Amino acid sequence: MHCNEYPIITDEFWTSKQRQASSIHEVSYRACFKPQLPNFFINRFTKPGDIVYDPFSGRGTTAIEAALCGRNVIINDVNPLSIMLTIPRIRIPLLKDIESRLASIKLYKDRKADIDLSMFYHPDTESELVSIRDYLIERKANGRGDYVDDWLRMVATNKLTGHSKNFFSVYTLPPNQACSQQKQIEFNEKSGRIPSYKDTKDIIIIKSHQLQKDISPEIREAMFALGEKAMCVNSDAAKTSQIPDSCVSLVVTSPPFLDVIDYAGDNWLRCWFNNIDIKEVQESITVTKKLDEWELFMSSVFNEMYRVIKPGGYIAFEVGEIRKGKIKLEESIVPIGKQAGFEVLAVIINEQIFTKTSNIWGVSNNQKGTNTNRIVILRKPQ
Ligand SMILES: C[S@@+](CC[C@H](N)C(=O)[O-])C[C@H]1O[C@@H](n2cnc3c(N)ncnc32)[C@H](O)[C@@H]1O
């Protein structure tokens, strides 16, 4: 229907052709995109010093890639977890400071969580975890928290559950979220597993080294300066009044796709660790089964993006192919974008032959043997 108005270009644009992403990206998050996706657009549409913004920032893939490329960043997500996962990977502390801070944290032997976590953790691991959690909460409450604490919080959050020995928990699935307590009990019974002791400080140090593998002193310094200037917003993407008018050169983002993913539920344990009220997050996250409700929300997000984007600035808006390809959300986004005042330049479809490891795209499409990203490219007229 739209094929005469703008090109639809299908290729494997970045998945096989681009360099390996930086190690600093390697934290898991539901439905995150690969760093190569924002990199593709940041390099084409911006120059160093420009502002790159993601209104649905998640683990912060766009912001971190933008900072790696020397761009300024603005992030927004309705879940405060997003800022906690992102900013420490832009204001990156030295490994020696991380190690000495960790060494200064007293690990108690008899601490218990205020919720039942026995299905995930050995009692001694739980006690260590609660000691670290209490330390971080207390330091923040007293105004003594700093970027080294922020790093520890980010790494610990990522190590809460997983399926290798380098996680705090017993074997859990899927990899980037915790299932419910009851489901984990059943999973342990079925698989005959019980949580064994894990050394929380060791695991945090190992992950810190892995994340910083590609971070040179020059990159650390340049990113830190950008991290100090980064603007972090924790609002509905349609109501970001803190962000000034006409300042953004490029938005690279992917919104929640109808009700495909339960962002609040999937992050319940991470929210607990970070003392985030899961009910509040649940109420604010946009989840809708109905396409017309989703479109209404997206219209207000596009009006807000129009306000914050510079004349001549771009949007790369990634949408999924959902309900087994029956709904193509880009067909909704094109008229919404135009209505808000943008020009639609193209729809880019990145098609990647499916392999097991590429499933971290979040939207997997096993039957067809491909993973696709469908991205609408728009520009605010000069
Ligand atoms: C598809 S994920 C983004 C993932 C991100 N591209 C990344 O690589 O990590 C969508 C995000 O939108 C957030 N979200 C949901 N409803 C929102 C709203 N109304 N305003 C702002 N953020 C929202 C969710 O918390 C989630 O982090």
Side-chain angles (χ1 to χ4, degrees):
M1 152 169 89
H2 304 287
C3 55
N4 294 330
E5 299 166 38
Y6 54 86
I8 299 177
I9 316 160
T10 304
D11 198 349
E12 190 171 351
F13 286 100
W14 48 80
T15 28
S16 70
K17 293 176 187 167
Q18 287 233 326
R19 62 172 171 77
Q20 193 71 24
S22 166
S23 58
I24 197 73
H25 282 291
E26 286 163 18
V27 307
S28 60
Y29 193 78
R30 290 286 279 152
C32 59
F33 44 48
K34 282 197 169 192
Q36 286 89 343
L37 186 159
N39 180 277
F40 184 85
F41 299 105
I42 290 164
N43 279 328
R44 274 160 189 77
F45 293 143
T46 65
K47 50 185 193 324
D50 282 350
I51 297 180
V52 177
Y53 170 47
D54 187 346
F56 300 99
S57 185
R59 68 169 179 166
T61 320
T62 293
I64 288 162
E65 196 56 31
L68 281 165
C69 297
R71 275 55 164 178
N72 284 297
V73 304
I74 303 181
I75 58 170
N76 174 67
D77 197 291
V78 84
N79 192 342
L81 198 55
S82 174
I83 299 173
M84 293 175 180
L85 292 176
T86 307
I87 295 303
R89 290 180 296 135
I90 302 180
R91 295 195 310 166
I92 306 167
L94 292 169
L95 286 164
K96 70 173 176 46
D97 293 339
I98 295 167
E99 286 171 15
S100 64
R101 179 65 54 82
L102 207 48
S104 77
I105 301 176
K106 184 168 167 48
L107 298 181
Y108 296 90
K109 288 268 175 244
D110 51 358
R111 298 231 168 155
K112 281 203 82 57
D114 50 2
I115 51 173
D116 183 11
L117 295 179
S118 58
M119 63 297 292
F120 291 103
Y121 305 113
H122 183 279
D124 294 345
T125 317
E126 179 176 329
S127 184
E128 290 188 14
L129 194 58
V130 174
S131 305
I132 295 172
R133 178 180 185 261
D134 290 350
Y135 169 90
L136 292 171
I137 292 174
E138 202 181 297
R139 294 251 307 176
K140 200 173 180 184
N142 295 338
R144 288 168 59 219
D146 63 2
Y147 70 101
V148 185
D149 282 2
D150 292 346
W151 176 272
L152 297 179
R153 182 181 296 108
M154 178 275 295
V155 176
T157 299
N158 266 281
K159 287 289 155 185
L160 290 174
T161 56
H163 56 286
S164 79
K165 68 176 175 43
N166 278 330
F167 285 92
F168 303 150
S169 70
V170 68
Y171 190 103
T172 66
L173 275 177
N176 46 11
Q177 66 189 80
C179 63
S180 70
Q181 286 139 308
Q182 186 52 37
K183 277 218 174 102
Q184 188 63 38
I185 291 172
E186 289 161 20
F187 189 50
N188 291 350
E189 277 169 6
K190 246 194 208 155
S191 59
R193 291 192 179 92
I194 49 166
S196 60
Y197 171 70
K198 304 291 184 78
D199 186 321
T200 52
K201 287 189 176 179
D202 264 8
I203 290 176
I204 291 174
I205 288 171
I206 291 168
K207 183 65 180 174
S208 298
H209 280 260
Q210 288 168 346
L211 280 167
Q212 296 202 20
K213 184 168 64 68
D214 298 335
I215 301 299
S216 66
E218 296 73 32
I219 295 178
R220 184 192 310 275
E221 197 184 329
M223 286 181 85
F224 205 95
L226 294 164
E228 295 281 271
K229 286 195 283 169
M231 178 183 253
C232 303
V233 186
N234 175 212
S235 299
D236 186 303
K239 296 174 196 143
T240 55
S241 55
Q242 300 93 317
I243 305 176
D245 292 353
S246 305
C247 65
V248 169
S249 293
L250 170 67
V251 166
V252 185
T253 197
S254 69
F257 308 142
L258 298 180
D259 59 344
V260 172
I261 286 164
D262 176 8
Y263 290 102
D266 291 349
N267 283 312
W268 73 269
L269 189 55
R270 289 175 166 197
C271 286
W272 168 79
F273 183 75
N274 290 296
N275 213 17
I276 295 170
D277 183 347
I278 185 85
K279 283 206 187 83
E280 243 175 60
V281 176
Q282 230 135 17
E283 279 160 21
S284 348
I285 277 186
T286 305
V287 183
T288 168
K289 269 191 178 32
K290 296 193 186 128
L291 187 59
D292 54 351
E293 278 177 18
W294 186 85
E295 288 174 343
L296 209 61
F297 170 58
M298 285 306 145
S299 294
S300 47
V301 172
F302 266 82
N303 289 336
E304 185 63 350
M305 288 195 292
Y306 192 87
R307 180 185 70 75
V308 304
I309 290 176
K310 278 181 173 169
Y314 294 85
I315 303 179
F317 202 81
E318 197 256 327
V319 290
E321 193 184 55
I322 59 165
R323 311 259 199 272
K324 297 206 165 86
K326 274 194 204 126
I327 301 182
K328 294 200 168 64
L329 293 177
E330 71 273 21
E331 288 175 4
S332 298
I333 290 304
V334 165
I336 289 171
K338 282 186 184 166
Q339 182 69 35
F342 291 98
E343 302 162 347
V344 177
L345 303 185
V347 172
I348 288 189
I349 301 177
N350 187 74
E351 206 160 63
Q352 181 190 20
I353 306 304
F354 182 78
T355 61
K356 223 175 170 194
T357 48
S358 67
N359 199 13
I360 58 163
W361 287 74
V363 183
S364 70
N365 204 341
N366 281 309
Q367 290 103 324
K368 282 195 202 158
T370 57
N371 269 334
T372 60
N373 288 96
R374 316 174 77 83
I375 296 142
V376 187
I377 314 294
L378 309 100
R379 184 173 54 199
K380 180 168 170 175
Q382 285 285 354

